[in-house]
């Protein structure tokens, strides 16, 4: 995908991974259409990067269609917006309204993005890419975590479904599944810029999923526990070194 002619859309672009993706794409010379629900932060980021900013609630299907109408030439769509939610306990400890909000942003935000953008990407009959921000928590189940982990499991399923459905078209799908990232969601973790670099490398190389190497065995172990009928156990990364 040539950066000189690339128009890219990034949701959740005013902070965290989304902002890092926008910065990395700007450095490549891409034309940017950035979306976020935070109008002030979006305006600041868009002005700094010379981008078009569109205030967007990704949980609103109409808002996502409006965003798509602002970027008819988009060839890369980064569906990145997400929230954690304040409750990090067991499923029954999370209030109903929190389940609704987390799933509305994290899952419906991706589905609304696919519904808004994929038809126009297909209509263009040219190579294009959808990049979905999932999470390690969407591949491995951790104790607690509230609604976030289950929502990201749904996101990884949607990403796989979309990739299969688009297999015989010019539109490709990639998803990134980072562990802890130092964003507004977490004070700890790796720098968002590193995640953005890995994500765009996956787009460049046509890679479907990016999973941290130190967690890959843990993901496989949990799948093995399921298919063998064993009780699930908390995942752990490979030891450093």
């Amino acid at each position: 995908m040539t950066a000189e002619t690339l128009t890219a859309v990034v949701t959740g672009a005013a902070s965290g991974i989304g902002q890092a993706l926008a910065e990395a794409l700007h450095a490549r010379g891409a034309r940017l259409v950035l979306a976020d629900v935070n109008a002030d932060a979006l305006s600041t980021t868009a002005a700094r990067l010379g981008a078009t900013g569109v205030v967007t609630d990704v949980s609103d299907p109409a808002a996502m269609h409006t965003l798509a109408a602002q970027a008819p030439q988009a060839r890369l769509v980064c569906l990145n917006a997400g929230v954690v939610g304040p409750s990090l306990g067991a499923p029954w400890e999370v209030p109903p309204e929190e389940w609704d909000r987390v799933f509305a942003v994290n899952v419906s935000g991706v589905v609304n993005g696919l519904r808004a953008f994929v038809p126009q990407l297909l209509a263009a009959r040219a190579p294009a890419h959808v990049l979905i921000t999932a999470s390690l928590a969407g591949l491995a189940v951790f104790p607690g975590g509230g609604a976030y982990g289950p929502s990201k499991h749904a996101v990884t399923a949607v990403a796989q479904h979309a990739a299969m459905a688009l297999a015989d078209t010019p539109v490709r799908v990639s998803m990134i599944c980072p562990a802890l990232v130092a964003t507004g969601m977490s004070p700890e973790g790796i720098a968002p810029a590193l995640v953005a670099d890995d994500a765009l490398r996956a787009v460049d190389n046509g890679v479907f999923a990016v999973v941290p190497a130190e967690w890959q065995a843990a993901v496989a172990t949990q799948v093995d526990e399921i298919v063998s009928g064993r009780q699930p156990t908390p995942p752990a990364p490979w030891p450093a070194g």
Side-chain angles (χ1 to χ4, degrees):
M1 201 170 291
T2 57
E4 307 85 51
T5 60
L6 178 66
T7 296
V9 176
V10 183
T11 68
S15 63
I17 295 172
Q19 188 176 78
L21 283 168
E23 290 168 347
L25 287 164
H26 172 73
R28 291 183 174 207
R31 295 187 294 271
L32 295 173
V33 178
L34 306 181
D36 203 284
V37 73
N38 186 326
D40 291 341
L42 176 63
S43 178
T44 299
T45 300
R48 177 167 57 85
L49 299 179
T52 299
V54 183
V55 178
T56 307
D57 179 352
V58 298
S59 69
D60 180 357
M64 289 299 282
H65 280 284
T66 297
L67 176 63
Q70 295 290 313
Q73 304 302 317
R75 309 312 304 153
L76 172 61
V77 178
C78 303
L79 301 177
N80 165 79
V83 296
V84 173
S87 301
L88 299 178
W92 55 89
E93 297 173 339
V94 179
E97 62 273 13
E98 195 172 317
W99 279 103
D100 291 345
R101 179 58 180 164
V102 171
F103 269 72
V105 175
N106 294 357
V107 184
S108 295
V110 171
V111 174
N112 291 338
L114 294 172
R115 294 182 67 250
F117 282 96
V118 168
Q120 71 184 41
L121 295 178
L122 291 173
R125 299 180 180 275
H129 214 107
V130 178
L131 174 66
I132 296 172
T133 300
S135 172
L136 176 65
L139 294 175
V141 178
F142 293 82
Y148 179 77
S151 76
K152 288 298 187 176
H153 272 264
V155 169
T156 63
V158 170
Q160 291 175 76
H161 190 179
M164 293 176 188
L166 293 167
D168 296 326
T169 77
V171 182
R172 291 291 172 262
V173 177
S174 294
M175 70 174 182
I176 51 174
C177 301
L180 284 177
V181 182
T183 68
M185 294 184 183
S186 170
E188 302 177 357
I190 65 173
L194 297 177
V195 179
D197 288 344
D198 285 345
L200 295 183
R201 193 175 303 114
V203 170
D204 292 340
N205 296 332
V207 172
F208 171 66
V210 179
V211 182
E214 67 272 21
W215 285 99
Q216 291 172 10
V219 172
T221 296
Q222 284 200 331
V223 172
D224 183 65
E225 288 173 342
I226 291 170
V227 299
S228 65
R230 302 196 306 274
Q231 289 294 319
T233 58
W238 285 343

